């Protein structure tokens, strides 16, 4: 009931009842109760019957055209939820999972093989592949319903914030959600990390309804990003607009962070809020601790998520290296501290113990430089 897309699809009669069960495997049986499918995604509603005396964990669903296929058809698993009090405990667990196809489907398959992987919910069993149970069923798909077709809009419009364009190339609206394909204009002078509070507004006046985001996925390497939003399937003809409140972005000349990790000095940063933490002196060689202060005035603009740095960095000789991510080299580990000035995020980078030509250059994948400016584009 708390998932608008699924609830409205069920209310509109867009679910195909399946009710096909797997054979029991070591006391576990699972049943696919129903599916909601369109050209961009599928929702699987299923039940797990645990007749053992131990709790189980689930690894999600794998979708294939046939059991013998090597590759899964799922490009992104956006939503997984349960309506049971304790997932996987002995007894019955009711769940659903919403999955995006790995590519736009011109035709719906006649059949689909779905595999659920489960394993005992204990630390010592998690890493034992032999304890993972795979339960598979082959289900018929419904190719006769008009709602599978959905509605495709070749939009070719754009949003603009402070002169920076976000191109909205096309939109697909189906029973599993609304999918907008967006890309950043190559002529932008700023590197856009993310749009702020993207949402769809359905209806007009007092009948307006906000359709929030479910996630995003890029199905091609470096290609346009697809953002996924809820859909109210009970309102198929109501007007819809895409709206954002601003962007998080940096001028392209400021997206690099340059640090001399031997002298522990920042030589280039977007602003004075990013500093080398005093805690760096207490760390092992190769670990740099950064502090980012997000002032109260910035926090008041929008929720600041901190910053991100690409795994790959370059030394002064032009050679590329990777951040260390072993069990002891906790790159990307974060700590948060609040005081009267704002929130300080402490961020750990491990560049390894090898002596490298200094300084080192990193690239930001996110930075809390918010530009607040609302814009919208009509979709329907």
């Amino acid at each position: 009931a708390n998932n608008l897309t699924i609830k409205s699809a069920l209310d509109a009669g867009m679910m195909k009842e399946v009710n096909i069960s797997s054979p029991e495997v070591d006391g576990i049986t699972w049943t696919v109760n129903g599916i909601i499918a369109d050209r961009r995604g599928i929702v699987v509603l299923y039940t797990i019957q645990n007749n053992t005396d131990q709790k189980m964990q689930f690894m999600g669903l794998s979708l294939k055209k046939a059991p013998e296929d090597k590759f899964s058809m799922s490009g992104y698993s956006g939503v997984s939820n349960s309506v049971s009090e304790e997932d996987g405990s002995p007894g019955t667990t009711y769940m659903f999972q919403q999955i995006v196809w790995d590519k736009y489907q011109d035709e719906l398959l006649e059949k689909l093989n779905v595999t659920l992987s489960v394993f005992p919910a204990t630390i010592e069993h998690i890493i034992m592949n032999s304890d993972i149970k795979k339960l598979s069923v082959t289900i018929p798909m419904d190719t006769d319903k008009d709602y599978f077709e959905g509605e495709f809009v070749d939009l070719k419009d754009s949003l603009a914030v402070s002169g920076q364009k976000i191109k909205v190339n096309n939109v697909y609206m189906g029973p599993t959600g609304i999918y907008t394909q967006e890309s950043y204009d190559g002529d932008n002078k700023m590197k856009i990390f993310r749009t702020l509070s993207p949402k769809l507004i359905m209806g007009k006046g007092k009948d307006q309804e906000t359709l929030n985001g479910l996630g995003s996925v890029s199905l091609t390497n470096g290609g346009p990003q697809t953002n996924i939003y809820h859909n109210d399937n009970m309102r198929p003809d109501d007007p819809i607009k895409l709206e954002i409140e601003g962007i998080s972005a940096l001028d392209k000349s400021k997206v690099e962070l340059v640090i001399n990790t031997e002298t522990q000095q920042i030589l280039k940063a977007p602003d004075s809020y990013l500093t080398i933490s005093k805690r760096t002196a207490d760390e092992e060689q190769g670990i740099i601790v950064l502090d980012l202060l997000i002032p109260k005035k910035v926090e008041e603009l929008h929720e600041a998520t901190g910053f991100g740095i690409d795994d790959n960095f370059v030394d002064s000789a032009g050679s590329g290296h990777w951040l260390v991510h072993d069990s002891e080299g906790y790159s990307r580990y974060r700590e948060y501290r609040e005081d009267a000035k704002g929130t300080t995020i402490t961020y750990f980078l491990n560049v390894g113990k090898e002596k490298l030509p200094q300084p080192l250059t990193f690239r930001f994948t996110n930075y809390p430089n918010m530009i607040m400016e609302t814009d919208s584009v009509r979709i329907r």
Side-chain angles (χ1 to χ4, degrees), residues 245-358:
E245 294 181 1
I247 56 175
S248 174
L250 281 175
D251 187 279
K252 289 180 178 179
S253 65
K254 296 183 177 181
V255 295
E256 291 184 346
L257 171 66
V258 181
I259 305 176
N260 186 319
T261 58
E262 290 182 0
T263 60
Q264 298 177 13
Q265 289 179 298
I266 291 180
L267 305 180
K268 181 182 178 183
D271 50 47
S272 60
Y273 295 124
L274 186 63
T275 58
I276 299 283
S277 173
K278 294 178 181 178
R279 293 171 56 175
T280 297
D282 300 326
E283 294 291 338
E284 292 183 6
Q285 180 185 341
I287 295 180
I288 300 296
V289 188
L290 301 173
D291 283 341
L292 175 68
L293 171 65
I294 301 179
K296 290 285 187 187
K297 61 182 180 181
V298 175
E299 289 184 318
E300 289 168 0
L301 287 175
H302 196 272
E303 179 187 2
T305 56
F307 68 101
I309 287 178
D310 196 293
D311 276 350
N312 185 253
F313 63 94
V314 179
D315 64 31
S316 65
S319 297
H321 306 272
W322 295 95
L323 291 173
V324 179
H325 286 284
D326 61 29
S327 58
E328 296 179 0
Y330 38 111
S331 285
R332 290 189 173 180
Y333 173 74
R334 303 179 185 213
E335 293 179 358
Y336 295 82
R337 184 178 71 256
E338 293 185 24
D339 57 29
K341 293 180 181 178
T343 300
T344 298
I345 302 175
T346 300
Y347 194 98
F348 294 75
L349 295 179
N350 188 345
V351 298
K353 296 182 179 180
E354 180 185 357
K355 192 175 180 65
L356 300 173
Q358 298 292 319

Side-chain angles (χ1 to χ4, degrees), residues 119-189:
F119 55 90
T122 53
I123 295 297
E124 60 266 28
H125 283 88
I126 286 177
I127 58 174
M128 300 290 289
N129 288 333
S130 59
D131 287 311
I132 297 176
K133 309 178 198 308
K134 294 185 180 293
L135 297 86
S136 296
V137 296
T138 297
I139 59 174
M141 304 286 278
D142 197 334
T143 59
D144 300 327
K145 298 294 186 182
D146 290 339
Y147 59 74
F148 160 70
E149 298 293 335
E151 181 183 355
F152 185 84
V153 181
D154 192 14
L155 200 61
K156 289 187 170 59
D157 207 336
S158 61
L159 300 155
V161 174
S162 191
Q164 311 306 302
K165 286 187 176 181
I166 301 106
K167 296 189 288 187
V168 186
N169 306 316
N170 56 60
V171 179
Y172 174 78
M173 291 172 278
T176 67
I178 298 176
Y179 303 75
T180 65
Q181 189 190 77
E182 300 165 28
S183 59
Y184 303 133
D185 194 302
D187 292 332
N188 287 341
K189 290 183 170 56

